[in-house]
Amino acid sequence: MYGPEKQEQAAGVIQRGFGQAEATSFVGREPELAVGSGLLKRRRLVTLVGTGGVGKTRLARQIVREVAERFADGTYCAELANLGSGHAIAEAITSAVGVQVAAGQDPLHTLAGALRGRRVLLLLDNCEHVLDGCAHTVRDLLTLLPDLRVLATSRQPLDVGAEHVLQVRPLGLPTMAHGHPLHMLAGEEDPMASPAVTLFADRAEAASPGFRVTEANRHTVARVCQRLDGLPLALEIAARRLRTLTLEELLERLDDRFRLLGPGGRDRTAHPRHQALRALFDWSYELCTEAERRAWQQLSLCSGGALLSDAEQLCRSADEGGVPVAAAADDSFEAVAGLVDKSLLTSEETDGQTRLHMLETVRAYGQERLAESGRAQHVLRRHRAWYLNLAAQAGSAYGSSEEASWLRRLRAEHSNLRQIVTASPPAGEPAETVLRASLGFWLHCLTSANVGEGARWMRKILERNPRPPSSEATGTWCQAAWVAGFLLLLHGDHSSAQEMIGRGEQALADAPATSGSANPAAHQATRAELSAAFLQLRGLAALVTGDMVTSAKYARSSLATGHWSDSLLTHAQCIAQLGFTAVIQGDRTRSIALLEQALAMSEARGDVWHRCYLLWALAVDHGEAERPEIALQLLYRALQHTGEIDEHMGEAALGETLAWVLSSCGDARSAAVVLGAVDRVWHPSGTPRLFGFALLTSHRERCLRNARRSLGDIEYTRAYQEGQRLGLRHALEMAFQNNAPTETVG
C-alpha cells in the first residue's frame, strides 16, 4: 500500500516539503507553541482555531516540527483548502499519507489498516468549509486508530467529543496609550517591542532592502501594526507594499485596506485566498449563514466591542424598511454564537458578563458589506439609538445607588460613544436623542479621565444643536448645556464654560412658562432644577478661580430655590462647595460640619463618586489642620470608593494630597513615588492639575520641594520613575501599605 517515499516516512522521515524549514522566519508564538506541543502529549485531537490570516497553518507546521520526534512512524499533512465537498476528505488523507486505495475499497478502512499500530501525527489544514465531513472522518479515524494524533486548523471548531480547541490570536501589539505608542522609561522594556512589529520589520526589510525600523519611524510602524490588528497575513502584504509606498503613505492608505492589501502585494506561491485580504474575508463571508452575515454587518459598527446582551438586542429580528426578516427569538443569539465559532468574534468574561470583540479588519469588511446591502441607514440608526439610550439611562442614575454600575457600564462603551458623537447623525435621527444622552457624559468623562475629550464631544453636539430644537425640548437642551459647561470648566476653558452657562440660562428664560406641558407643575419644577444647577456650576467656577465670596453667593442662591436635580447632584454639591470654601478660608468648624453633612447625604443616596471627593476634601481640611493621621484614614477610605468605579481623576486628586501628607510626615520617598504615578494621569485627561485649584497646587509645590530636599535630585528621580512604572493605583496601594492608617474614621 505504501510507495517507496511513503515507506521512508512511515519509518520516521517527515514528509518532504512539509517538515523542511520555511523560507521566512517564524516570529513569536512561543506560548502557543508550548501549549500546542504539550496538548499533543495528552490529547488525541487538537484544533487550532482563529480568524483568516491569523497564522494557523504556519503555527501548526511549526508545532509539528517541535513534536515530530515523538512520532516514529511519521507526520503527514492533508491540505483541504481546495476540496469541493466533505466526501473527498478520506481520499485527501490517504493521498497525503501515500496509501493506495483500490477501486471499490473504503478509503477510511484502507487507511486504518495501513496505519494500525503506528504512532502517527496527521495535520488537517483548512477544515472550515468541510466541517461536517472533517468531524465524521476524524471521529472514525480516532475510533479505529488508538495511537493516532490529529492536529487540525480551522476557522471554527470541529465539535468532535475528543477535541481540544487552541485559540490562535493575532500577534502581540506594541503598548499604546490614547492611540499613541508609549515612550520607554528608564528600566522598562521597550513598549515598541512586540511580535507584530518584529514580523512587519522582518518582512519589510526583505521586501524593501533599504527599510529599517529607526527611532524616527518606530511610532509609525507601531501604528501600522495596530491598525492591522497584528494579523500576520495583513502585515506581510502591507510590508511588500513598501516597495512602492513610504511608511507614512502606507499608514494613510489603511482606511482602504482591502484595496491596498489586494493582489498587487501578494505572495505568488500562496493559495489564492491568501493572496489578497479581501479574498480571505470573502471566503469567511461565504461560509456564514444569512443571519450571521446580518449580525456581522450590525456588529461591525461596534467600536471597542459589545456585551453579548447588547449584541443580541442589536441583532434581534425586526422589520427593516417594511421588509420582515427572520422572526425566531433565538436567531440573534445563534447568529452571534456562529460568528464566535467562526473566529469572527472573540469573547471574554468581564465582571461576570460576556463581552465580544471584532478585529478592526473584520469590522472594516463588515462595514463594506453593510454599505452594499441597502440596510446601512437602518442599521446605523439602530446602533446609535441603542448606545445613546444607555448613556441617557446612566445619566438618570447618577447620584443614586445604581451610579457605580452605570459608570462601569459606560466605561466599557467609551469607544462606541466616541464613534457616535463624533460622526454626523443619520437623516431622521431626532436631535433629542443625542441631547438626552449628554446627561450621561459629564460624570463618565470625568471618572474615566477623558475630560478633554468630553468637552470636545459637547462642543460638537451643541454646535450641531445651537438652540433647543423645540420648546418641549428646552429642558433636555439645557441639561446638555450644563454638561458642556461642567466639562469645559474642568478642562480649564473657563470663558467657554461661562458662555455655555449663560446660553443655558438664557434658553430657560426664553422658554414659555408652560411649554404646552401635560404636567405644568412638573415642567416648572424641571425649570427650577436647571436654574439651580446653573447657579451651582457658576459657584464651582468661582471656587476653582479662588473667588470664595462669589462661590458662596451662588451656592446659597442655588440652595434657596428648593428644587435640585438628583442626577446632577445639585443639592449635595452646593453644600460641598460651601464646605470647601470654608476649608480655604480656614474655618475648620464650619468646613467639617458642611462636608460631613454632604457626605451623609451621599451615603444615604448610595452615591459613590461624590463620596470619593468629599472624603478627599475632608482629608485636605485635616491636612491643613496638621492632623495627618486622620487625613491618611480619610484618603484610604476614598481610595476604596474610587476602586468601586475605577475613578481615575479621583485617584489622581487624592494621590496629590497623599503625597503632600506623606511628605509632611517625613516619608519623602513614598511621596516622590506617588507624584511620579500621578503625573501619568493628569496630562492625557485634558484636565489642569488638581482642576486648577490654587490652594492644592501650592500643596503640591511644597511637597515636591520637601521631597527633593530630603532625597536629593538623584534619589528623587529614581523614586519618581518608579512611580511612573508602577501606575497610579499600585503606587497608592504601596504607599498605604507603608503608612497604614491605625484606624478607620467613622
Side-chain angles (χ1 to χ4, degrees), residues 15-83:
Q15 183 175 336
R16 190 171 292 119
F18 167 53
Q20 294 173 348
E22 301 277 359
T24 55
S25 60
F26 183 80
V27 174
R29 303 297 193 196
E30 288 83 3
E32 294 96 330
L33 275 172
V35 172
S37 300
L39 284 172
L40 284 171
K41 283 184 178 178
R42 310 187 306 275
R43 305 282 183 174
R44 300 187 61 206
L45 170 61
V46 177
T47 305
L48 305 185
V49 172
T51 193
V54 80
K56 299 182 294 295
T57 296
R58 190 71 187 273
L59 174 60
R61 289 173 178 266
Q62 193 69 20
I63 289 173
V64 170
R65 292 186 189 91
E66 295 277 330
V67 303
E69 63 183 16
R70 299 184 206 159
F71 298 92
D73 298 305
T75 60
Y76 305 96
C77 174
E79 171 54 65
L80 309 181
N82 293 321
L83 295 187

Side-chain angles (χ1 to χ4, degrees), residues 2-208:
Y2 288 91
E5 182 180 342
K6 301 305 176 183
Q7 289 172 358
E8 288 181 356
Q9 292 163 7
V13 179
I14 300 175
Q15 183 175 336
R16 190 171 292 119
F18 167 53
Q20 294 173 348
E22 301 277 359
T24 55
S25 60
F26 183 80
V27 174
R29 303 297 193 196
E30 288 83 3
E32 294 96 330
L33 275 172
V35 172
S37 300
L39 284 172
L40 284 171
K41 283 184 178 178
R42 310 187 306 275
R43 305 282 183 174
R44 300 187 61 206
L45 170 61
V46 177
T47 305
L48 305 185
V49 172
T51 193
V54 80
K56 299 182 294 295
T57 296
R58 190 71 187 273
L59 174 60
R61 289 173 178 266
Q62 193 69 20
I63 289 173
V64 170
R65 292 186 189 91
E66 295 277 330
V67 303
E69 63 183 16
R70 299 184 206 159
F71 298 92
D73 298 305
T75 60
Y76 305 96
C77 174
E79 171 54 65
L80 309 181
N82 293 321
L83 295 187
S85 73
H87 299 298
I89 293 171
E91 288 86 347
I93 297 173
T94 57
S95 176
V97 176
V99 172
Q100 298 174 0
V101 182
Q105 285 186 322
D106 179 354
L108 203 62
H109 284 84
T110 303
L111 181 65
L115 296 182
R116 189 166 288 114
R118 297 178 182 274
R119 287 192 58 78
V120 166
L121 173 61
L122 176 62
L123 170 58
L124 300 180
D125 197 21
N126 292 299
C127 301
E128 55 271 351
H129 62 303
V130 285
L131 270 180
D132 287 344
C134 277
H136 287 94
T137 301
V138 168
R139 181 198 62 194
D140 292 345
L141 281 175
L142 292 174
T143 301
L144 294 167
L145 298 168
D147 294 321
L148 177 68
R149 292 286 191 275
V150 177
L151 178 64
T153 73
S154 178
R155 297 186 193 183
Q156 69 183 99
L158 303 185
D159 288 330
V160 175
E163 181 180 39
H164 188 100
V165 174
L166 176 58
Q167 193 77 39
V168 182
R169 308 284 187 186
L171 292 173
L173 291 164
T175 304
M176 309 283 275
H178 301 280
H180 299 286
L182 290 174
H183 293 282
M184 181 169 56
L185 297 171
E188 277 190 341
E189 292 185 7
D190 185 355
M192 294 296 98
S194 73
V197 168
T198 301
L199 177 68
F200 180 80
D202 179 81
R203 303 307 191 254
E205 289 173 16
S208 180

Side-chain angles (χ1 to χ4, degrees), residues 351 401 403-409 411 447 606-609 611-612 615 637-647 651 729:
D351 295 330
S401 59
E403 176 188 86
S405 61
W406 274 108
L407 284 172
R408 289 193 296 270
R409 182 81 167 84
R411 182 71 56 83
T447 58
D607 157 46
V608 175
W609 170 76
R611 225 176 304 174
C612 301
L615 290 166
R637 281 177 60 192
L639 181 66
Q640 310 314 303
H641 291 308
T642 61
E644 292 180 48
I645 54 176
D646 195 21
E647 216 286 35
E651 287 181 355
R729 175 152 281 271

Side-chain angles (χ1 to χ4, degrees), residues 298-369:
Q298 178 75 63
L299 298 180
S300 72
L301 297 180
C302 293
S303 175
L307 283 179
L308 172 60
S309 55
D310 289 348
E312 288 182 271
Q313 292 298 322
L314 286 166
C315 299
R316 192 167 292 276
S317 304
D319 283 357
E320 299 186 359
V323 179
V325 296
D330 292 336
D331 273 1
S332 59
F333 173 77
E334 292 300 335
V336 171
L339 294 179
V340 173
D341 286 344
K342 291 177 173 64
S343 303
L344 295 163
L345 285 172
T346 57
S347 64
E348 64 176 7
E349 182 181 334
T350 305
D351 295 330
Q353 293 182 295
T354 297
R355 190 163 187 87
L356 304 167
H357 295 276
M358 187 178 282
L359 295 177
E360 288 304 304
T361 304
V362 180
R363 288 185 64 219
Y365 183 88
Q367 288 171 15
E368 285 198 7
R369 286 291 193 163

Side-chain angles (χ1 to χ4, degrees), residues 372-409:
E372 298 166 0
S373 71
R375 307 167 53 239
Q377 286 298 300
H378 174 87
V379 170
L380 178 61
R381 283 195 294 270
R382 176 189 288 184
H383 172 82
R384 289 174 59 91
W386 181 261
Y387 285 105
L388 290 173
N389 185 54
L390 287 181
Q393 290 181 69
S396 297
Y398 291 163
S400 75
S401 59
E402 297 179 356
E403 176 188 86
S405 61
W406 274 108
L407 284 172
R408 289 193 296 270
R409 182 81 167 84

Side-chain angles (χ1 to χ4, degrees), residues 443-464:
L443 195 49
H444 160 66
C445 288
L446 173 60
T447 58
S448 62
N450 287 296
V451 172
E453 184 175 15
R456 290 191 294 274
W457 288 4
M458 295 311 303
R459 281 185 190 277
K460 191 174 291 288
I461 289 170
L462 290 167
E463 282 169 3
R464 290 180 182 142

